[in-house]
Amino acid sequence: MSAQWIKLRYLADFNPGPPNAVRNSSESFPLYPMEAINNFKAPNTAISHEPVSKLLSGYSYLEPRDVAYAKVTPCFENGKGIIGTDLQDPSFATTELTVLRPKPGISQRYLAYLLQSPLFKNQAQSSMTGAGGLKRVSEQFVKDIKLPVPSFREQEKIADQLDHELAEIEASIADQNQLLNLLHEHLKASISHHVQPAELAEQAGVSEITIDGISWRRTTVGRVTTINGGQVDPRVEPYASMILIAPNHIETGTGRILSSETAKEQGADSGKYVARRGQLLFSKIRPTLLKSTIAPENCLCSADMYAISADENWLTNKFLMYYFLSKNFQDTADINSERVAMPKLNKETLASTTLWIPNFTKQNSVEEILKKEISNTLESVSLLKKSIHLNKEKYNIIIKENLKQGGSR
């Protein structure tokens, strides 16, 4: 078996537009956001359908004969992509996809495996540009990446072999991801149980209630907090050298800060808020992602976040953070932000959110319990992710070896 090494631009057409039949259609078409896209497997079915007039600008177009890969970090590194055969009809998706339509003589399944292989990904990743946590693969660069291409018959044979060899690994990864989701859901439920017990949901119109000997008082977030105002220029000192925390630096549902970079290192050039050490940082963009944390030092926070101080006569910042990580708050945020194009909670809506507060002894007890529970969950998640990583490495090795068998130069 032999193969030629051919530039990707000669294997597929990049980002083909919709034909006139679609442009002039009166029908609605599926729209896949990035959240619905999986790793070259069938996308999630929880999608919207929109009239084509709303989709012709600002979205990628796909047909069942296409293949697409996510070009933005971290989705590219995580291997997100679509094989068109998983789509029932012509569809639209986020513009953060690069869509490829195989040319004659190129197998759709083989091309999909090429895009998942280290042969493509390692080179493509080296072309990523952008500031901070948002970088994109250069389409111009990847067009000139050379990849092994045997005969069409051999392409199909290799794809069949990979389908067979990878099925067991894919099943194992799916089981592990399901367990990961269960761990996160259990933690979210536990946080909710401790910061807003179920009995409180039944107390409409009541201002105070006693549960297991503990008094809980009803209030709203706005009555017991203050939010920092006044933005600063992150390009000038001392702000340029301060840590800048944005939603992408915070782990969903745990309050853990994943990475730290200064405003200068992130190339920040628009207004940011100053936060004091110990203040609560809350992401107002897509609040259902549950991204809140405690400022580890005097720092800056993104304009997409609020820097909040709890009234020390009522509650602690940490207890409030755990409330913002709870399922109770997630449900409230979902109701109050779902009608906004880019889901977010404005100050007025956040201020009106109901909050039940126990005494400080109970708050401190809850903080210690949840600190330990989050630590234990993160330890379990870490071990599970290591196992998933090993499976993915094995997956990539199998793809690479099968593709290279006929591609030696």
Side-chain angles (χ1 to χ4, degrees):
M1 181 174 63
S2 60
Q4 294 179 296
W5 289 74
I6 302 175
K7 291 181 178 181
L8 187 55
R9 67 171 69 243
Y10 300 122
L11 306 183
D13 295 318
F14 279 66
N15 300 314
N20 288 334
V22 171
R23 291 179 178 275
N24 300 326
S25 175
S26 60
E27 298 180 10
S28 294
F29 290 85
L31 175 59
Y32 293 91
M34 187 62 78
E35 293 80 8
I37 297 171
N38 296 312
N39 293 21
F40 288 90
K41 300 300 173 188
N44 300 339
T45 56
I47 58 171
S48 62
H49 287 71
E50 303 290 345
V52 71
S53 59
K54 292 185 178 181
L55 301 172
L56 290 177
S57 60
Y59 296 99
S60 299
Y61 174 72
L62 304 97
E63 293 186 357
R65 54 179 165 162
D66 297 331
V67 178
Y69 66 87
K71 62 184 177 184
V72 66
T73 188
C75 302
F76 176 79
E77 294 91 332
N78 292 339
K80 284 199 169 192
I82 292 178
I83 301 177
T85 48
D86 289 321
L87 306 175
Q88 295 182 351
D89 302 293
S91 304
F92 290 82
T94 169
T95 54
E96 298 295 3
L97 291 180
T98 294
V99 181
L100 302 180
R101 182 163 297 164
K103 291 181 181 290
I106 303 300
S107 162
Q108 181 186 32
R109 290 188 303 145
Y110 182 81
L111 179 58
Y113 278 124
L114 282 175
L115 297 178
Q116 296 174 73
S117 75
L119 300 174
F120 170 76
K121 294 187 69 174
N122 290 346
Q123 295 185 73
Q125 191 165 350
S126 70
S127 76
M128 297 187 92
T129 57
L134 194 63
K135 298 183 178 181
R136 293 179 176 85
V137 172
S138 165
E139 290 182 7
Q140 197 59 40
F141 178 90
V142 300
K143 286 180 180 180
D144 290 324
I145 292 178
K146 290 186 176 181
L147 297 167
V149 184
S151 67
F152 184 82
R153 181 178 178 182
E154 287 295 339
Q155 293 174 43
E156 287 288 284
K157 182 178 178 181
I158 290 171
D160 287 340
Q161 181 67 20
L162 285 170
D163 287 348
H164 174 73
E165 290 187 29
L166 296 174
E168 185 176 343
I169 298 177
E170 289 172 349
S172 177
I173 292 175
D175 289 343
Q176 291 168 327
N177 280 323
Q178 184 177 15
L179 183 54
L180 269 180
N181 290 334
L182 289 173
L183 284 171
H184 288 302
E185 286 301 314
H186 174 77
L187 177 61
K188 193 193 306 179
S190 180
I191 291 174
S192 295
H193 169 73
H194 287 291
V195 300
Q196 301 288 273
E199 295 92 330
L200 299 176
E202 305 167 1
Q203 304 303 320
V206 177
S207 60
E208 189 169 350
I209 183 176
T210 299
I211 302 175
D212 296 330
I214 303 296
S215 176
W216 292 75
R217 291 179 291 175
R218 181 191 181 105
T219 185
T220 61
V221 171
R223 291 177 182 172
V224 293
T225 63
T226 56
I227 298 177
N228 294 6
Q231 295 186 357
V232 300
D233 188 342
R235 297 170 296 181
V236 301
E237 295 296 351
Y239 309 117
S241 297
M242 295 175 72
I243 295 297
L244 169 59
I245 298 177
N248 59 286
H249 297 123
I250 303 171
E251 185 173 48
T252 292
T254 69
R256 182 171 65 150
I257 296 176
L258 300 173
S259 62
S260 295
E261 296 177 298
T262 65
K264 184 176 181 179
E265 289 170 337
Q266 296 181 52
D269 58 5
S270 59
K272 309 299 177 190
Y273 294 111
V274 176
R276 300 183 302 277
R277 178 181 180 182
Q279 278 196 296
L280 169 62
L281 305 181
F282 166 78
S283 175
K284 62 183 178 182
I285 298 295
R286 296 187 177 178
T288 56
L289 292 181
L290 303 181
K291 293 198 171 190
S292 295
T293 191
I294 299 296
E297 59 185 81
N298 293 340
C299 63
L300 302 182
C301 73
S302 162
D304 291 332
M305 306 188 76
Y306 294 133
I308 302 174
S309 289
D311 184 336
E312 60 184 17
N313 295 312
W314 279 80
L315 77 164
T316 68
N317 286 336
K318 284 188 177 179
F319 185 86
L320 183 59
M321 178 192 75
Y322 286 129
Y323 169 67
F324 285 150
L325 297 179
S326 70
K327 180 69 166 60
N328 309 66
F329 177 75
Q330 185 179 47
D331 292 342
T332 298
D334 186 45
I335 293 171
N336 288 299
S337 63
E338 63 184 359
R339 293 187 177 90
V340 183
M342 171 60 78
K344 65 179 179 180
L345 283 183
N346 59 40
K347 289 183 181 180
E348 293 74 19
T349 303
L350 181 63
S352 66
T353 301
T354 298
L355 173 66
W356 288 87
I357 304 174
N359 60 39
F360 281 107
T361 300
K362 178 64 174 178
Q363 290 181 46
N364 293 333
S365 172
V366 166
E367 290 168 18
E368 287 302 313
I369 290 171
L370 293 180
K371 179 181 178 181
K372 183 178 295 184
E373 186 155 346
I374 288 175
S375 177
N376 291 338
T377 298
L378 290 176
E379 185 176 350
S380 298
V381 166
S382 178
L383 291 172
L384 197 52
K385 284 185 174 180
K386 286 180 181 178
S387 181
I388 292 173
H389 178 71
L390 290 174
N391 267 331
K392 287 184 175 179
E393 282 192 337
K394 184 178 179 182
Y395 186 97
N396 289 333
I397 289 171
I398 291 174
I399 291 177
K400 182 178 180 179
E401 292 306 312
N402 273 273
L403 295 177
K404 285 188 70 176
Q405 281 181 15
S408 58
R409 290 186 271 189

